[in-house]
Amino acid sequence: MFSTVLSGAVYGIDSYLAHVEVDLSPGLPCFVMVGNLSSEVKEAGERVRIVLKNSGIQIPPMHIAVNISPGEIRKTGTGFDLPIAVAVLAALGRIPADSIAGRLFLGELSLDGGLKPVRGVLPIMVHAAATGVTRCMVPEENAGEAGAVEVMKVAGAQSFTQVIEYLNLPEDKQEKLLFSGQMALKGDGVSFPGNSRDKKPHSGKGKGGKRLDFAQIQGQEYAKQAALIGAAGFHHMLIIGPPGAGKTMIARRIPTILPPLTREESLEVSSLYSISGKLPKENVLMRERPFLSPHHSISPQALSGGGKVPRPGMVSLAHRGVLFLDELPEFKRQTIDLLRQPLEDKEIQIARSSGFFNYPADVMMVGAMNIATTKLIQCRVEEMPENKAFQGIGKVGYWILVSVAVKWNQSYLALCTSF
């Protein structure tokens, strides 16, 4: 008895489709899994056994072989639990073959049969739709992500029992139980400021959930002018001034004057957050441009992306948004120099033993630092490196000075621009 179920996974930030093949044959009872699997994928065999038992399904004493192809790609994550369980039931004849044909399955199983959300659902569904797959079944908490793809017909479930019941229904009844949230995301009906004619003011959230807006800044005309110039051209910006002058206040409000995300940009940014498991639960897609402000003690791996198969780092998570480096001289020289190539190429290349990875990094970098000596009053770029505040900034610090630099000196402001 043989069955095949379609699934998918993410390798780096690239998605691919995987085929879960199950063969049941007479022999020594065992559950064998092959296909270049990581430890968490191999553990799916035990989870599937217990879930089937707790769901009232008895597996006959047979030799069960599971293969997940393609074999040259390392399989990671827990999203293969559901497709393996469905493939076993299909091989036993408990599920009609028509119900699983052309349908993508993705989800993690708990021992009581519940379905748990997984990472990377959005980019997997985008890739699946591009290859002609139009049906999927995912955990209910991931149904919103999957439904963001216009052509995808999404069925969300809370438990494995619901999956079995749904797949045994006639096709006309299955259509009535599709996830309804996707209907609001089709075409131009989605509420994206970039797609809507009636554009609303774009604002972010600050501490305590308070809304931020560039209009909240009182005075600081020269600094606001510099921020507008930087936002208009997506130029990098360096703000220099004494503590309490409002450097961080202005930087946090720059995303509110940037052009709103288009649907294509939102899918791109949301895919990165979905892979990292940081997609907000209250929003199906990212509507606002990211604003990230890492601590100065951040490691180079956390900034660029780390791991044997690296996940997106802070510079990639800030893609299409603002990367704010407060107290710029406090960052390690090695960490700052790492940003030079991503800022120029708008992508970051990471080499690991598992391969080479290209991650997007089209960010507007905003740095802030304090004045150390009175030489900055002259506002001459060629004299700035002589100041102690610039020691340790490295190539990136000098490079962003040719974009937009703003200097505070107590009672007045000086604006330095060079393009």
Side-chain angles (χ1 to χ4, degrees):
M1 294 176 283
F2 175 82
S3 67
T4 301
V5 169
L6 185 64
S7 186
V10 175
Y11 189 73
I13 62 171
D14 297 323
S15 305
Y16 66 94
L17 297 183
H19 295 271
V20 179
E21 304 169 347
V22 172
D23 180 78
L24 278 63
S25 59
L28 184 66
C30 61
F31 202 109
V32 180
M33 296 184 62
V34 296
N36 197 2
L37 314 177
S38 62
S39 58
E40 61 264 28
V41 180
K42 292 180 180 179
E43 294 168 355
E46 289 300 318
R47 289 194 292 269
V48 170
R49 278 181 174 274
I50 298 175
V51 167
L52 292 177
K53 175 182 68 69
N54 292 337
S55 300
I57 299 172
Q58 296 296 327
I59 302 179
M62 304 180 70
H63 182 277
I64 303 176
V66 179
N67 176 51
I68 304 178
S69 62
E72 69 270 11
I73 302 178
R74 182 73 169 174
K75 315 301 187 305
T76 60
T78 56
F80 292 108
D81 290 8
L82 179 59
I84 292 174
V86 171
V88 171
L89 288 185
L92 290 173
R94 297 292 191 93
I95 296 177
D98 295 341
S99 294
I100 64 174
R103 189 189 300 271
L104 189 146
F105 294 86
L106 197 66
E108 178 184 350
L109 291 172
S110 59
L111 298 184
D112 62 352
L115 278 179
K116 297 181 178 180
V118 294
R119 298 179 178 182
V121 172
L122 179 59
I124 292 174
M125 296 305 164
V126 172
H127 178 71
T131 59
V133 179
T134 59
R135 300 191 301 170
C136 70
M137 173 162 279
V138 296
E140 190 176 47
E141 295 184 39
N142 291 130
E145 286 185 59
V149 182
E150 297 180 5
V151 299
M152 192 64 65
K153 298 179 179 179
V154 183
Q158 296 179 341
S159 66
F160 187 63
T161 304
Q162 291 182 357
V163 174
I164 299 174
E165 294 175 353
Y166 178 83
L167 294 177
N168 282 290
L169 290 174
E171 186 175 355
D172 57 339
K173 292 185 178 181
Q174 290 182 359
E175 292 287 337
K176 297 179 180 179
L177 297 177
L178 290 177
F179 175 68
S180 59
Q182 64 179 357
M183 300 303 293
L185 295 171
K186 290 186 176 181
D188 295 333
V190 62
S191 57
F192 280 96
N195 293 347
S196 175
R197 296 180 180 177
D198 184 17
K199 297 186 178 181
K200 298 180 180 180
H202 181 73
S203 59
K205 288 185 179 180
K207 296 181 180 179
K210 296 182 179 179
R211 307 297 296 183
L212 300 180
D213 198 293
F214 198 76
Q216 296 171 347
I217 304 173
Q218 302 297 323
Q220 314 282 22
E221 296 301 328
Y222 286 112
K224 288 162 64 175
Q225 180 185 358
L228 289 171
I229 294 173
F234 216 64
H235 301 297
H236 308 302
M237 183 175 177
L238 179 62
I239 309 175
I240 309 167
K247 302 184 297 295
T248 302
M249 174 189 67
I250 291 179
R252 290 189 177 277
R253 286 160 175 78
I254 289 178
T256 66
I257 58 174
L258 288 172
L261 287 172
T262 63
R263 181 177 178 82
E264 291 73 19
E265 291 176 338
S266 178
L267 285 171
E268 186 179 11
V269 175
S270 300
S271 295
L272 293 171
Y273 277 74
S274 177
I275 294 170
S276 302
K278 300 181 181 296
L279 195 63
K281 293 183 179 180
E282 64 273 10
N283 294 327
V284 174
L285 296 176
M286 299 283 291
R287 263 92 169 159
E288 299 177 353
R289 291 188 179 271
F291 177 88
L292 296 181
S293 179
H295 192 260
H296 61 77
S297 61
I298 187 173
S299 66
Q301 292 77 16
L303 187 63
S304 62
K308 186 175 181 181
V309 179
R311 286 180 179 170
M314 294 287 280
V315 67
S316 295
L317 293 177
H319 181 59
R320 303 291 186 184
V322 176
L323 179 65
F324 178 50
L325 303 183
D326 201 3
E327 302 296 341
L328 187 62
E330 299 296 330
F331 284 81
K332 296 180 181 179
R333 174 70 175 265
Q334 178 187 5
T335 303
I336 297 180
D337 281 349
L338 181 146
L339 291 173
R340 184 179 62 84
Q341 180 261 339
L343 293 181
E344 291 180 355
D345 299 342
K346 302 187 185 304
E347 67 175 10
I348 184 167
Q349 300 177 358
I350 304 175
R352 294 289 186 270
S353 59
S354 55
F356 293 88
F357 303 88
N358 289 338
Y359 291 171
D362 187 4
V363 303
M364 176 182 176
M365 177 179 162
V366 179
M369 57 182 291
N370 296 326
I371 295 178
T373 67
T374 58
K375 285 189 177 182
L376 290 179
I377 298 177
Q378 301 173 19
C379 196
R380 295 179 181 176
V381 174
E382 63 271 11
E383 294 187 7
M384 286 184 176
E386 300 178 8
N387 191 282
K388 292 182 179 180
F390 285 86
Q391 294 180 2
I393 291 182
K395 300 176 183 177
V396 174
Y398 301 144
W399 187 74
I400 64 176
L401 288 177
V402 301
S403 293
V404 179
V406 187
K407 182 195 72 67
W408 267 271
N409 186 38
Q410 301 296 337
S411 59
Y412 69 92
L413 300 171
L415 174 66
C416 306
T417 59
S418 176
F419 297 93

